[in-house]
Amino acid sequence: MATTAVRFFQTLGNALGTAVFGSLLARLYADGGPGGDISALARLTGPAHAEGVHAFVDATRAVFWGGAALMALAALLALRLPRSGGAADSAAPPRESEPVPA
């Protein structure tokens, strides 16, 4: 059950991250690029191609910095989770060892 829950949240995180960072990349490229979307970059020539590549690199840099900030935040939040000490934290008192027959 726990493995299924972990896989579900991994898949959900992958889908959400792709959507958010992909749309951020597309919007940043559209704002700084020569016009059009990212798929038009391959068809550009001359100075427009150089401007498009520069805009794509800038947009990619911003996306990776955003991802790094999100990972740092997740690491800080993970450090605040309560620690599990395993059997030492259980509510049941420790069992005494059984006597060994002579």
Side-chain angles (χ1 to χ4, degrees):
M1 181 77 173
T3 303
T4 304
V6 168
R7 291 285 182 212
F8 171 74
F9 285 109
Q10 283 176 343
T11 304
L12 188 63
N14 285 336
L16 184 62
T18 301
V20 168
F21 288 123
S23 109
L24 179 64
L25 179 69
R27 288 184 183 268
L28 290 173
Y29 176 77
D31 286 344
D37 59 353
I38 296 172
S39 64
L41 182 59
R43 294 185 299 274
L44 296 175
T45 59
H49 181 71
E51 181 184 348
V53 168
H54 183 70
F56 183 75
V57 169
D58 287 345
T60 303
R61 183 180 301 125
V63 167
F64 274 97
W65 277 111
L70 187 62
M71 286 189 306
L73 177 65
L76 288 174
L77 291 174
L79 289 173
R80 293 185 46 102
L81 289 173
R83 294 186 186 258
S84 170
D89 285 344
S90 66
R95 295 187 326 172
E96 295 180 19
S97 62
E98 296 188 22
V100 178

